[in-house]
Amino acid sequence: MQGARLPSVMLALGLALLLWGSYWGLFLAPRETYMGDVQRIMYVHVPTAWNAMLALTFAFACAVLSLLRGDPRWDARLEAALEVGVTLSALLCLQGAIWAKPTWGVWWDWDPRLTTTAVLVFAFGAILALRQFVDDPVKRATWSAVAAIIAYADVPIVYFSVKWWNSLHQTQSSPETVSRAFHWPLRINAFGMLFVMSGLITLRARLAALRQEEELAGPLPAAAPRVASAAPGAGA
Amino acid sequence: MTASGVITGGWEFVWAAYGVTAAILIGYAVSVLARYRAQRRRRGEVRP
């Protein structure tokens, strides 16, 4: 199969980069003046945030292309990007809570950045749940694409929330807002997370495509007798 | 945190954040791989 090993290569490369970047961030990078060692959480938190937003932006693009072209491959990619995006966004909230406790004194606060991110997790998570309840593949693709486009409106709100409203959360982390001493572990982990995210989306999209093929082909021959015998009154 | 506003210690939070990250990424990757292999097995592409 062409490119069969691509997800494994991306996952392995991503893992290697994450190990290297995390080692640098944990043991080699200097301690931050005010936050001390707790700031080292940034080296996983910020790359997770960037890649969660990227995965959901890819989901948005897949949703638009799925609606425009009606090609089931874009629906498979949408499903993959949604699941990976929701997983990374949920992980982002957990990392943020762990960082918030020693710096803000609380695990959670209904701050604009945190609240809009929680809305993001629930909105895109709800689309994944919706997909489980729709049997018709065409309706499922259309409804989830429309819902993903609507839910995506929250992504720029999450990004700009720290500028638009008074927020406990610091402004967006970028090379301009982060000391040069912290750049390299942050960049290495950002690329590591990018490869992991891309590998997971590629593999998950292949899984979704296999399920689509099975759905279109109908039940497998081996599964057919079991379905028949499970029907009410069957075998009576 | 001292009166100077500087946070001291806190390594337990750092390890917790990295631990949660590793657990979720590895757990999710294993879940996707297992579902992918199971789906291919259903199609007869992979021997059990």
Side-chain angles (χ1 to χ4, degrees), chain A:
Chain A
M1 188 188 293
Q2 196 182 7
R5 289 180 177 270
L6 185 67
S8 308
V9 170
M10 284 196 282
L11 286 172
L13 187 58
L15 180 66
L17 285 171
L18 280 175
L19 287 173
W20 180 27
S22 297
Y23 178 79
W24 194 329
L26 286 169
F27 304 113
L28 305 179
R31 184 182 289 126
E32 204 268 343
T33 310
Y34 295 104
M35 277 194 273
D37 290 315
V38 169
Q39 172 271 342
R40 297 180 196 278
I41 295 173
M42 178 188 76
Y43 303 118
V44 283
H45 184 61
V46 172
T48 305
W50 287 342
N51 284 286
M53 298 301 119
L54 207 56
L56 294 174
T57 301
F58 181 62
F60 171 77
C62 293
V64 171
L65 288 165
S66 174
L67 283 179
L68 289 177
R69 298 193 178 170
D71 186 336
R73 284 177 299 182
W74 287 111
D75 181 56
R77 289 168 193 150
L78 168 63
E79 182 178 308
L82 282 174
E83 195 177 279
V84 174
V86 167
T87 304
L88 290 180
S89 303
L91 172 60
L92 180 67
C93 289
L94 285 172
Q95 293 166 337
I98 294 168
W99 198 356
K101 182 63 179 167
T103 50
W104 300 345
V106 288
W107 295 102
W108 182 264
D109 185 79
W110 293 105
D111 162 272
R113 170 56 72 86
L114 276 63
T115 306
T116 51
T117 308
V119 168
L120 194 80
V121 174
F122 285 107
F124 283 101
I127 300 170
L128 284 172
L130 168 78
R131 293 181 66 87
Q132 299 294 318
F133 292 108
V134 185
D135 291 330
D136 182 344
V138 177
K139 281 182 183 167
R140 188 196 308 134
T142 308
W143 292 357
S144 52
V146 170
I149 290 168
I150 294 168
Y152 187 76
D154 191 37
V155 172
I157 297 175
V158 169
Y159 186 78
F160 289 109
S161 59
V162 287
K163 282 190 175 176
W164 290 345
W165 299 294
N166 287 326
S167 178
L168 272 173
H169 197 283
Q170 67 184 65
T171 54
Q172 297 97 331
S173 296
S174 69
E176 288 77 34
T177 61
V178 173
S179 169
R180 288 179 66 84
F182 306 145
H183 281 186
W184 275 108
L186 190 59
R187 280 178 182 154
I188 294 166
N189 270 0
F191 278 101
M193 198 67 87
L194 178 67
F195 280 112
V196 167
M197 184 264 285
S198 308
L200 287 172
I201 289 180
T202 308
L203 192 62
R204 185 62 184 80
R206 288 181 184 179
L207 167 62
L210 285 176
R211 284 183 179 165
Q212 279 178 345
E213 282 174 27
E214 187 182 300
E215 210 171 42
L216 291 172
L220 293 170
R226 286 205 298 272
V227 171
S229 65

